[in-house]
Amino acid sequence: MGLAMALVVAVFTVVSVYIFWARIWWFPVDISTHGAAIDHQFHLTLIICGIIFVLAQLGLAWFAWKYRDNGDTRKVTYSHGNNKLEATWTIAAAILFIGLNLMGYQSWADTHFTGAAPGALQIQVQGQQFYWYFRYPGPDGKFGPTHVEKVDDAIGNFYGLDREQDSASEDDIVTATLAVPVNRPIELILRSKDVTHSFFVRELRLKQDTVPGMEIPVHFTATEEALKHNGGRYEIACTQLCGLGHFRMRAFLQVMTEPDFEKWLHDQAAMQ
Ligand SMILES: [Cu+2]
C-alpha cells in the first residue's frame, strides 16, 4: 500500500510538471507593452513554486514508501512538533511571499498607479448588467457630465448624457466595441452603472474591477503584435459574478491602425 501511494504521488507530480513544462493550456498571445513584465513575474513565481511543489511531493512519496507497513511490531511514538523547524519554514514562506509581492508590485503598479503618458487617448468603460459600453470624448477631448435621471437604456442613453444642454456631451461617442489605435497609449476610466463588474482582457494582461461610485483609471498600449492575431479582435470578459446574466457579459476589443481607427471613430460619431 505504501509503495502504491508513493507511486500515485510520484506519477501525479510528473504529470503536473509535464502539463506546465509542455505549455498545454498556456497563456494567450501578449499584445501590450507591459505584458512581458507580467509574464516574467508569472514565470518566476511558477518556477519557484514549481520547485517547492516537486520537492514536497517527492518527499511525501518517499515518506509513504519508507514508513509503509512492513510488519514491524514496535509501538509507535508520537512527536509534538519542532518549534524551531516550524519557525524556520514560516519565516521562509513569509520572505518568499513578501519578496515575490515586492518584485511583482512594479509591473502591477505600472498599469494601475503610475499615470498614463501625456496625450493618452481617454476612453470611459462602463460595466452594467450585462453589457459593456465605451465612451470617447469626441473632437473637444472632453467627456460631458452624466445625469442619473437621464439614464435610459431603452433609448440608448446608457451614460445619462444630456446632449442638448451640455455642450461637452454633444460630440461624445458611445459604442459597444472598444476600438483602440495600435502603439498609442490608452487610458481607460472604469466605472459601473450598478454592481461590481471586472474588466478583463487576457491578451492585454489587464484586469480591474469596476466599482459603483468610483472612476478607476488603468492604462495600456497595444503593440503591433495585436494586429497579427484574430484580426486584432480580443474578448473582453466580466470576471466578477455580477448577476444571472454574468456569463453573457462580454464585448470585444478591436485594435486598429491609426487611419482605420480615425475612420471607425468618424463612422461611430455619425451613428450617435
Ligand atoms: Cu459583470
Side-chain angles (χ1 to χ4, degrees), residues 128-130 132 195-198 238-242 246 249:
Q128 64 177 77
Q129 290 171 324
F130 299 99
W132 293 105
V195 300
T196 301
H197 301 277
S198 185
C238 174
T239 51
Q240 287 286 6
L241 186 55
C242 57
H246 163 68
M249 186 167 167

Side-chain angles (χ1 to χ4, degrees), residues 51-225:
I51 291 169
I52 296 170
F53 169 76
V54 169
L55 291 178
Q57 294 304 303
L58 294 184
L60 181 65
W62 185 71
F63 279 116
W65 176 77
K66 181 168 163 60
Y67 294 106
R68 68 194 182 281
D69 180 9
N70 58 4
D72 191 338
T73 53
R74 278 178 301 163
K75 228 174 163 204
V76 292
T77 53
Y78 292 97
S79 155
H80 289 282
N82 181 324
N83 287 342
K84 253 192 208 157
L85 261 182
E86 292 221 12
T88 306
W89 67 57
T90 304
I91 290 168
I95 290 172
L96 189 65
F97 283 125
I98 293 169
L100 283 173
N101 260 298
L102 289 177
M103 289 173 77
Y105 174 81
Q106 193 56 49
S107 36
W108 187 82
D110 277 349
T111 52
H112 288 75
F113 282 171
T114 39
L121 170 64
Q122 283 192 320
I123 307 169
Q124 274 190 354
V125 176
Q126 178 166 288
Q128 64 177 77
Q129 290 171 324
F130 299 99
Y131 304 92
W132 293 105
Y133 290 106
F134 309 95
R135 176 157 74 132
Y136 298 75
D140 68 352
K142 283 192 209 128
F143 292 108
T146 55
H147 307 278
V148 176
E149 69 283 3
K150 294 269 179 199
V151 172
D152 187 352
D153 288 2
I155 56 165
N157 195 356
F158 308 105
Y159 278 83
L161 304 185
D162 188 343
R163 292 183 193 271
E164 266 138 50
Q165 298 295 320
D166 304 323
S167 58
S169 296
E170 262 176 59
D171 61 351
D172 285 7
I173 302 161
V174 177
T175 66
T177 294
L178 175 60
V180 300
V182 70
N183 288 333
R184 181 144 153 223
I186 308 292
E187 181 175 36
L188 301 180
I189 299 152
L190 303 177
R191 41 189 282 150
S192 168
K193 202 175 94 179
D194 36 46
V195 300
T196 301
H197 301 277
S198 185
F199 176 89
F200 181 37
V201 180
R202 302 172 309 161
E203 292 82 356
L204 281 181
R205 309 290 193 265
L206 193 62
K207 187 190 233 181
Q208 172 60 51
D209 279 6
T210 71
V211 182
M214 288 182 78
E215 290 200 330
I216 304 175
V218 292
H219 60 93
F220 68 92
T221 303
T223 59
E224 297 281 344
E225 195 66 24

